[in-house]
Amino acid sequence: MYKLFKPTKKISSKLKKALIENPHWILNDFEILDQLITSEKNKTNGNIVDLRDIFLKKTKSKLEDLSKLHTHTISAAYENFLGASNLHRCIIKILEQKNLEKLIDILTTDIIKILQCSVIILLFSGKEKVVLNNPYFINIKNEEIKKIMRSAKLTKKKLTRLKSNSTELYTKKILNESSPKIYSEAMLSLCTYSEDYNSILILGSSSKNFFNEKNKTDYLDILAKVISIQLRNHISALK
Amino acid sequence: MYKLFKPTKKISSKLKKALIENPHWILNDFEILDQLITSEKNKTNGNIVDLRDIFLKKTKSKLEDLSKLHTHTISAAYENFLGASNLHRCIIKILEQKNLEKLIDILTTDIIKILQCSVIILLFSGKEKVVLNNPYFINIKNEEIKKIMRSAKLTKKKLTRLKSNSTELYTKKILNESSPKIYSEAMLSLCTYSEDYNSILILGSSSKNFFNEKNKTDYLDILAKVISIQLRNHISALK
């Protein structure tokens, strides 16, 4: 057997006989056919001599492209699912918190981890100041929060804005030197369910592509709504 | 060796490897080439005249197969997304309701439509009877609800049970003749967030495969948790 498969110049007569009796071995095997055609091409210095060759080359590259695309689609579907299941973990954790302090705590501990962010800040401006023992809950003036919302083009319908242009990041202005470097940020409007206050949630990431403007914001919009509802519930319970 | 050359349907992997490493065995052998082209010709009414044609034909069919597969993957991803986006619509609607009556109303109107169910029933057993003006909110005895939970094997960890065996459906027992016919049902435990009462949500579908035992319950589990949290909030507000 060894001899039969030795890289000899010519095919052994036994193997030849077998191949002639079983042409489908080769004809049904894509890889062998591919190899035969590639070697034949190399022999002729790769010069394309036939329209079929051109078509062949194109079909082959189309096949490769589609294979790649297919793999990407599978991986995108998987990431979508992973994204949905992480979003659901966040929603349940947010709903489980029974007061404002606990809500802010969970945002700056568990939620920041699930979302793989570097920083979460909640800007708040109500009729009365709300004092919490958490440095990431920041009371600011109503005019200032309205200015931020205008420049970020946040409205009742557009709840999320992503930004990856590092010179324009809001987190740059409020975080100090020792904070983690932020290269992209998401701003979520939390005003959907109340007129009594204005509030913005800012998520910052150390990766430039994490909150890229081109990304979809469907999941962050849901998160904004869920946090808005809970914020309204907890704020009204303070009164 | 004998085995390698047996007239099997497929080429042995050893022989395949040898041919791929020595394509000249075939390419330099006129008789084998002739045999390959003749057999392929016979298959296709003699139209194929070149190895490239054979390869092309195979590439094309492979391309078509992959295209089909790709389309299926995209559609599965889309369905998953549709599922997630409907779940999110339900979650937001549920959270928006400010009291128990409104929660039950939204379940039996909007949520039933989004989930494409035929019926939604909430079974409830608390220390005190809760009276609502909604026929789908049903007070039952504590022993009875516990019996249902045991037979459905619902626990704190297993929140959802699907059933498509029409003789065992719980909805059969409580719905009257004029109600829509139910062929599968989902039971969701709503006891996750309180020890003060027992509660089960039942979704019924007119399609046998809608709540098939083989389906995943990830999204219904999330729904059960969200409704549980809101039920606890609204029940405690009644006191």
Side-chain angles (χ1 to χ4, degrees):
Chain A
M1 185 171 85
Y2 179 70
K3 208 179 156 195
L4 275 169
F5 289 163
K6 250 171 61 177
T8 46
K9 236 181 154 182
K10 255 185 97 178
I11 191 166
S12 76
S13 57
K14 269 194 183 170
L15 178 49
K16 177 171 169 172
K17 191 169 171 278
L19 288 180
I20 287 178
E21 279 164 14
N22 301 285
H24 58 276
W25 282 354
I26 292 164
L27 294 171
N28 292 343
D29 195 292
F30 201 75
E31 284 170 79
I32 299 177
L33 281 173
D34 188 25
Q35 175 63 12
L36 292 179
I37 288 173
T38 313
S39 336
E40 192 61 24
K41 240 190 226 161
N42 289 344
K43 256 206 265 175
T44 55
N45 296 326
N47 289 332
I48 290 179
V49 287
D50 191 307
L51 264 180
R52 278 170 302 194
D53 285 311
I54 301 168
F55 188 69
L56 230 165
K57 228 177 89 184
K58 293 206 170 150
T59 324
K60 233 184 114 185
S61 86
K62 205 171 165 185
L63 190 66
E64 276 159 14
D65 285 353
L66 195 57
S67 285
K68 266 186 221 155
L69 188 63
H70 183 62
T71 314
H72 282 157
T73 312
I74 289 177
S75 107
Y78 181 67
E79 278 164 24
N80 256 339
F81 180 72
L82 265 194
S85 98
N86 276 336
L87 171 67
H88 299 155
R89 279 175 67 205
C90 289
I91 291 175
I92 300 302
K93 277 199 183 281
I94 288 164
L95 296 182
E96 282 171 350
Q97 307 314 310
K98 290 189 177 176
N99 61 45
L100 184 60
E101 192 131 25
K102 284 183 180 161
L103 173 65
I104 307 301
D105 280 349
I106 207 79
L107 289 176
T108 54
T109 53
D110 291 18
I111 305 299
I112 197 173
K113 272 185 211 152
I114 298 174
L115 296 178
Q116 295 169 43
C117 291
S118 301
V119 71
I120 284 191
I121 297 161
L122 197 141
L123 302 177
F124 184 84
S125 154
K127 281 171 190 160
E128 282 159 55
K129 202 171 165 180
V130 173
V131 183
L132 288 184
N133 190 18
N134 189 315
Y136 299 103
F137 181 90
I138 302 174
N139 283 279
I140 66 169
K141 283 183 185 162
N142 197 30
E143 302 87 66
E144 202 180 333
I145 212 167
K146 280 188 169 170
K147 210 175 112 188
I148 300 168
M149 295 188 91
R150 269 198 306 275
S151 79
K153 296 193 178 98
L154 290 176
T155 65
K156 289 229 165 191
K157 286 192 173 174
K158 169 83 183 147
L159 298 183
T160 306
R161 187 227 56 178
L162 307 179
K163 214 171 243 325
S164 59
N165 182 335
S166 65
T167 58
E168 292 175 25
L169 298 181
Y170 186 78
T171 30
K172 285 254 159 138
K173 294 182 195 165
I174 43 173
L175 291 177
N176 56 33
E177 287 295 309
S178 62
S179 305
K181 282 268 179 213
I182 301 302
Y183 290 98
S184 68
E185 68 181 21
M187 272 199 182
L188 278 58
S189 165
L190 302 184
C191 307
T192 324
Y193 290 95
S194 178
E195 308 281 340
D196 290 348
Y197 54 81
N198 284 307
S199 183
I200 296 174
L201 189 76
I202 304 176
L203 311 175
S205 168
S206 59
S207 151
K208 196 168 153 53
N209 281 315
F210 206 81
F211 294 122
N212 192 297
E213 288 86 345
K214 286 174 193 158
N215 295 352
K216 286 197 148 202
T217 61
D218 306 42
Y219 288 174
L220 289 174
D221 290 346
I222 302 294
L223 200 66
K225 282 188 188 172
V226 171
I227 299 174
S228 289
I229 294 171
Q230 290 308 92
L231 193 64
R232 176 201 64 193
N233 293 343
H234 296 320
I235 296 276
S236 68
L238 290 177
K239 285 169 192 165
Chain B
M1 186 171 82
Y2 179 70
K3 206 178 159 197
L4 278 167
F5 291 162
K6 253 172 55 179
T8 46
K9 234 181 156 183
K10 255 183 99 178
I11 191 166
S12 76
S13 56
K14 271 195 182 166
L15 178 49
K16 176 172 170 170
K17 192 167 171 277
L19 290 180
I20 286 178
E21 279 164 11
N22 302 285
H24 58 277
W25 283 354
I26 295 166
L27 294 171
N28 295 343
D29 194 295
F30 193 74
E31 280 171 84
I32 299 177
L33 279 176
D34 189 37
Q35 172 63 10
L36 291 179
I37 288 169
T38 313
S39 14
E40 197 62 23
K41 236 187 230 168
N42 291 342
K43 259 202 263 173
T44 57
N45 300 323
N47 285 330
I48 287 183
V49 288
D50 190 301
L51 265 181
R52 281 169 301 196
D53 288 306
I54 303 166
F55 186 76
L56 252 171
K57 224 181 84 187
K58 309 269 158 166
T59 320
K60 240 183 111 189
S61 87
K62 205 171 169 181
L63 193 63
E64 276 160 14
D65 286 351
L66 195 57
S67 282
K68 266 185 221 157
L69 188 65
H70 184 63
T71 313
H72 282 157
T73 312
I74 287 178
S75 112
Y78 184 66
E79 276 163 27
N80 253 339
F81 181 72
L82 265 195
S85 100
N86 277 335
L87 170 68
H88 299 155
R89 279 174 67 206
C90 289
I91 291 175
I92 300 301
K93 277 201 184 282
I94 289 165
L95 296 182
E96 282 171 351
Q97 308 314 310
K98 290 189 179 177
N99 60 47
L100 184 60
E101 192 131 27
K102 286 184 179 160
L103 173 66
I104 307 301
D105 280 350
I106 207 80
L107 289 176
T108 55
T109 53
D110 291 18
I111 304 298
I112 198 173
K113 273 185 209 150
I114 299 173
L115 294 180
Q116 295 170 42
C117 291
S118 302
V119 71
I120 285 191
I121 297 161
L122 198 140
L123 303 177
F124 183 84
S125 156
K127 281 173 190 160
E128 284 158 56
K129 204 172 163 180
V130 173
V131 183
L132 289 184
N133 189 18
N134 190 315
Y136 298 104
F137 181 90
I138 303 173
N139 283 280
I140 65 169
K141 283 185 187 161
N142 197 30
E143 302 85 68
E144 202 179 331
I145 211 166
K146 280 189 171 170
K147 210 176 113 189
I148 300 168
M149 295 189 89
R150 268 197 306 274
S151 79
K153 295 192 180 103
L154 291 175
T155 64
K156 291 231 163 188
K157 286 193 172 174
K158 169 83 182 148
L159 298 183
T160 308
R161 189 231 51 181
L162 308 178
K163 213 172 241 331
S164 59
N165 183 337
S166 65
T167 58
E168 293 174 26
L169 298 181
Y170 186 78
T171 32
K172 286 255 158 136
K173 295 183 194 165
I174 44 172
L175 292 176
N176 56 34
E177 287 295 310
S178 62
S179 305
K181 281 268 180 213
I182 302 303
Y183 291 98
S184 66
E185 69 182 20
M187 273 199 181
L188 278 58
S189 164
L190 302 183
C191 307
T192 323
Y193 291 96
S194 178
E195 308 282 339
D196 291 349
Y197 55 82
N198 284 307
S199 183
I200 296 175
L201 189 78
I202 303 176
L203 313 174
S205 168
S206 59
S207 153
K208 195 169 153 52
N209 282 314
F210 206 80
F211 294 122
N212 191 295
E213 289 86 345
K214 285 174 193 159
N215 295 351
K216 284 197 149 203
T217 61
D218 305 39
Y219 288 177
L220 289 174
D221 290 345
I222 301 294
L223 201 66
K225 282 188 187 173
V226 171
I227 300 174
S228 288
I229 293 172
Q230 291 308 92
L231 193 64
R232 176 202 63 193
N233 293 342
H234 297 321
I235 295 276
S236 68
L238 290 177
K239 286 168 192 167

